[in-house]
Amino acid sequence: QVQLVESGGGLVQAGGSLRLSCAASGRTFSNYAMGWFRQPPGKGRESVAAITWSGGSTYYANSVKDRFTISRDNAGNTVYLQMNSLKPEDTAVYYCAVRAGGISTTSWSYPYWGQGTQVTVSS
């Protein structure tokens, strides 16, 4: 049974930083891409960033490019999202997800999801 556990969310002032972590367990995740999505209050879920198993390829939404950095550990089972220069519009529940194969920005293509972690950025 695949399990994803996110941590690191919280309340931060605009301009501050947070680092989210997502620990994956339950199988070997070689050749699995990992992604971060977020769901702002009253809105749909959107792709934020994604990374291949090797870490050689990454994707960032335009809204977070140059502020957020996605990475994963050598074993490939933990993915991180370093979020700098946070803005109030970054406020959302952040989810990590895992899929076999390459990067995808569509939520329906990820079969495994974490429970989400709240990020709140105050102005």
Side-chain angles (χ1 to χ4, degrees), residues 36-106:
W36 285 99
F37 290 77
R38 68 186 181 186
Q39 188 162 10
K43 297 184 179 181
R45 195 168 295 188
E46 60 184 14
S47 177
V48 174
I51 189 168
T52 54
W53 172 75
S54 67
S57 293
T58 57
Y59 159 83
Y60 296 96
N62 287 336
S63 58
V64 307
K65 211 169 282 185
D66 299 324
R67 298 190 299 122
F68 290 10
T69 302
I70 189 170
S71 61
R72 62 195 298 173
D73 67 359
N74 289 338
N77 290 348
T78 301
V79 65
Y80 306 96
L81 187 68
Q82 178 67 43
M83 305 186 296
N84 299 329
S85 302
L86 283 162
K87 304 175 181 180
E89 52 263 43
D90 294 319
T91 295
V93 178
Y94 283 71
Y95 299 89
C96 69
V98 169
R99 70 183 296 272
I103 287 173
S104 173
T105 61
T106 54

